[in-house]
Amino acid sequence: MFSVTVRDHIMIAHSFRGEVFGPAQKLHGATFVVDATFRRTDLDDDGIVVDIGLATTELKAVLAELNYRNLDDEPAFAGVNTTTEVLCRTIADRLAERVHAGSLGEGARQLAGITVTLHESHVAWAAYERSL
């Protein structure tokens, strides 16, 4: 399996419901380093997994929908704890929609999967992996 990863970051605000979250139940901010890894079993005719420029552009576009937002106010997250894991899945699913729409180029339609990893810090991160 071949892979290419592109990286960006987001800054969000949110709060959580549930005793398990302790002080994070109150509104707080988070900055995430975001890695999007694109996978395929064979390289395309140009010898690449995905166009890195297009992958970078599309990741930035997906993250722009979240960046500098209070996720508690976003209709897409109504009633949802926007944990790191949930955000990983959301970003991966939104990237997958762009792959299927052709936004990452025709060659990207042969991708096998996407993994999105959000790094909360240098010691903690979460990831979500999905097939395409």
Side-chain angles (χ1 to χ4, degrees):
M1 186 73 65
F2 294 94
S3 67
V4 165
T5 301
V6 295
R7 176 174 276 185
D8 205 332
H9 73 282
I10 54 172
M11 297 170 63
I12 57 98
H14 62 172
S15 61
F16 297 126
R17 289 171 312 288
E19 289 298 318
V20 67
F21 295 106
Q25 293 177 81
K26 295 180 181 177
L27 184 65
H28 63 280
T31 300
F32 297 102
V33 172
V34 182
D35 290 332
T37 301
F38 301 87
R39 296 182 325 280
R40 65 188 296 153
T41 54
D42 294 308
L43 300 176
D44 71 8
D45 292 341
D46 296 313
I48 62 174
V49 172
V50 68
D51 181 313
I52 290 175
L54 290 176
T56 300
T57 297
E58 294 305 316
L59 176 60
K60 185 173 287 305
V62 166
L63 296 181
E65 299 169 357
L66 305 171
N67 204 20
Y68 295 110
R69 299 257 173 37
N70 179 348
L71 301 183
D72 295 350
D73 296 337
E74 294 296 312
F77 298 115
V80 175
N81 274 334
T82 51
T83 62
T84 305
E85 296 89 339
V86 166
L87 293 175
C88 287
R89 182 181 62 211
T90 298
I91 294 165
D93 289 347
R94 291 178 182 184
L95 283 171
E97 290 170 3
R98 290 169 180 265
V99 168
H100 294 308
S103 300
L104 280 88
E106 287 303 311
R109 293 184 191 276
Q110 301 305 312
L111 288 168
I114 298 173
T115 301
V116 171
T117 305
L118 270 67
H119 302 264
E120 291 190 57
S121 72
H122 66 288
V123 296
W125 57 89
Y128 177 75
E129 183 177 341
R130 61 160 289 157
S131 299
L132 290 176

